Amino acid sequence: MTIRVRALSPEEVNQLTELAHARKHGAGLVRRAQIIMRAVEEQLSAPEIAARMGLCGETVRCWIKRFNA
C-alpha cells in the first residue's frame, strides 16, 4: 500500500518550505520537513524518499503517517 501526504494548505506549504531549508532548527525537524516536501513536490514514494535521503523506508512511512495525523 502506498502512503500519500494529505492535501496541504498554502500556509502549510510555506511553513514546510522554510523549515526544510532552515539552519537554525534541529536537524531532525528539518529532515522531517524535507521528507514531507519530497513526498508532496516530487511525488516520491516512501522507498524512493528513503533511498535518496539515506533513511529506512519505515522511518519515512512513520513520519508521513504522523504528519497526516
Side-chain angles (χ1 to χ4, degrees), residues 4-46:
R4 299 281 181 212
V5 175
R6 64 176 169 75
L8 302 177
S9 69
E11 295 83 24
E12 288 177 316
V13 171
N14 289 337
Q15 289 175 344
L16 283 169
T17 301
E18 288 178 18
L19 189 55
H21 295 95
R23 293 187 180 267
K24 294 187 177 184
H25 293 283
L29 187 61
V30 171
R31 187 177 325 116
R32 292 190 291 273
Q34 290 171 345
I35 289 170
I36 301 304
M37 291 308 296
R38 286 185 184 218
V40 172
E41 290 180 344
E42 300 175 31
Q43 297 182 347
L44 298 175
S45 66

Side-chain angles (χ1 to χ4, degrees), residues 1-6 32 35-36 39 46 49 57-69:
M1 182 171 110
T2 303
I3 184 166
R4 299 281 181 212
V5 175
R6 64 176 169 75
R32 292 190 291 273
I35 289 170
I36 301 304
I49 295 169
E58 189 57 38
T59 300
V60 173
R61 283 187 288 281
C62 173
W63 287 117
I64 292 174
K65 286 179 188 176
R66 280 191 180 188
F67 180 80
N68 286 338

